[in-house]
Amino acid sequence: MNPTADIVLNRPKAARRRKPFSIGKGAALILFGILFVTQLYPLVWLVLYSLKNNEEILSGNFFALPAKFLWNNYADAISGGNYWQYLLNSVKVTSITMAAVIVLSSMVAYAISRFRFRYANAVMLVFLLGMMIPMQSTLLPLMVIFKKMDILNTHMAIILPYIAFQLPIAIFILSGFMKTIPHEIEESALMDGANIYRTFWSIILPISVPPMMTVCILTFIQIWNEYILAATFISSASLKTLPFGVYSFVSQYSANYGAIGAYLVLGAAPVILIYFLLSERITQGMVAGAVKG
């Protein structure tokens, strides 16, 4: 038997199927490299910014490493910016908002996607219209409403708008997934004696965990660093959230820019950490309803 033929036959399939490097593949790699650098650089710059003193920051040399890493900027940020109090307020507001959005959006999505009624599409359209309303356009009417409700300068004054603005996208994601759930599952549960509420809580919700995780992550990212509504409806220092801590380092004639950078890093760290840990969940939830299950 020809030994050359043996070598060819025993060659791994991956080696035989290897394609030559193409110009298109090289261009795509260059494009992705540029996108990666442009997305990563602001984070790296912010970390370097937080470790410099005012002179180095104001020098305008953005690419330079700090002459000395000033880790005490982070200690100043925590002690001088009421970090723990504002962090607790942000966790409280964000947690309540996420829980309310999940419960309300899942019930609405279940009703729209699983119940047979004439105006299901119209109801869905009404909720989707909420995605096109700018948050800034609601400040004045909300101020009037909340003043009459006597909830200004409370966390409820920002939690309610947060829930309202996050519901449309949450309903859109969950309803798209729930439409793919086979109706036979519900029919079997009804035949076994389960009512509509038991079917929803015990069957539909557990199946809908992937898109619900996506809703939680998107809601967290949107609410964590929100400033406009919080600045409009919250005035007490004890109720303010993380974005307000930056102003603790700005006075009439000076500013501690290093501490400001450190505070921004501390405020963004939870969002970045959660996103990288659960980024795969976002993709799974967004495409969960794209394929009929």
Side-chain angles (χ1 to χ4, degrees):
M1 190 171 181
N2 190 351
T4 305
D6 291 339
I7 295 175
V8 174
L9 291 175
N10 294 327
R11 184 180 299 172
K13 294 182 178 180
R16 283 181 283 170
R17 295 178 180 176
R18 185 178 298 168
K19 296 181 179 180
F21 187 81
S22 63
I23 298 178
K25 185 182 294 185
L29 290 176
I30 293 174
L31 177 60
F32 284 125
I34 294 174
L35 291 175
F36 176 77
V37 171
T38 55
Q39 295 298 315
L40 185 63
Y41 171 72
L43 299 177
V44 176
W45 175 84
L46 181 61
V47 173
L48 294 177
Y49 182 98
S50 68
L51 297 172
K52 296 180 179 181
N53 56 35
N54 283 0
E55 289 75 14
E56 291 176 312
I57 293 172
L58 295 176
S59 67
N61 195 350
F62 302 112
F63 296 94
L65 293 174
K68 182 181 179 181
F69 291 93
L70 301 179
W71 297 104
N72 61 310
N73 285 340
Y74 286 87
D76 295 340
I78 293 175
S79 61
N82 295 325
Y83 178 77
W84 296 117
Q85 180 180 1
Y86 292 165
L87 177 66
L88 181 61
N89 291 336
S90 291
V91 170
K92 174 185 174 182
V93 170
T94 305
S95 300
I96 295 175
T97 302
M98 289 170 57
V101 168
I102 284 295
V103 173
L104 296 176
S105 62
S106 60
M107 291 191 294
V108 173
Y110 180 63
I112 292 175
S113 60
R114 311 301 288 180
F115 294 173
R116 296 184 178 91
F117 62 100
R118 180 182 301 178
Y119 302 106
N121 292 332
V123 173
M124 184 66 179
L125 179 61
V126 170
F127 280 104
L128 293 181
L129 287 175
M131 299 172 62
M132 294 182 280
I133 300 176
M135 184 181 295
Q136 296 82 352
S137 66
T138 65
L139 294 179
L140 182 58
L142 286 178
M143 176 69 75
V144 175
I145 294 172
F146 291 161
K147 185 176 182 181
K148 292 182 178 180
M149 296 174 62
D150 197 24
I151 61 172
L152 281 177
N153 197 30
T154 66
H155 283 154
M156 191 58 62
I158 57 177
I159 290 175
L160 291 178
Y162 288 166
I163 295 172
F165 280 105
Q166 294 303 312
L167 277 178
I169 184 64
I171 294 172
F172 177 75
I173 294 173
L174 291 176
S175 62
F177 175 81
M178 290 182 182
K179 289 179 180 178
T180 66
I181 301 176
H183 287 275
E184 290 77 10
I185 297 178
E186 294 167 279
E187 294 172 358
S188 299
L190 292 174
M191 291 178 63
D192 291 337
N195 57 27
I196 193 67
Y197 303 104
R198 179 66 180 274
T199 302
F200 173 70
W201 290 106
S202 301
I203 298 177
I204 300 299
L205 284 187
I207 295 176
S208 304
V209 168
M212 289 171 62
M213 288 295 298
T214 300
V215 170
C216 286
I217 296 170
L218 294 178
T219 301
F220 179 86
I221 294 174
Q222 291 292 325
I223 299 304
W224 186 255
N225 289 320
E226 198 283 325
Y227 178 78
I228 296 176
L229 291 181
T232 304
F233 301 134
I234 299 294
S235 57
S236 297
S238 60
L239 298 175
K240 292 181 178 180
T241 51
L242 272 178
F244 290 91
V246 174
Y247 295 98
S248 302
F249 310 101
V250 179
S251 62
Q252 184 176 0
Y253 300 105
S254 64
N256 188 347
Y257 295 109
I260 291 175
Y263 196 92
L264 292 175
V265 172
L266 292 172
V271 179
I272 296 173
L273 180 63
I274 290 178
Y275 181 81
F276 277 107
L277 291 177
L278 303 177
S279 59
E280 187 176 352
R281 294 277 188 173
I282 296 180
T283 304
Q284 292 176 352
M286 292 296 289
V287 302
V291 180
K292 184 70 175 178

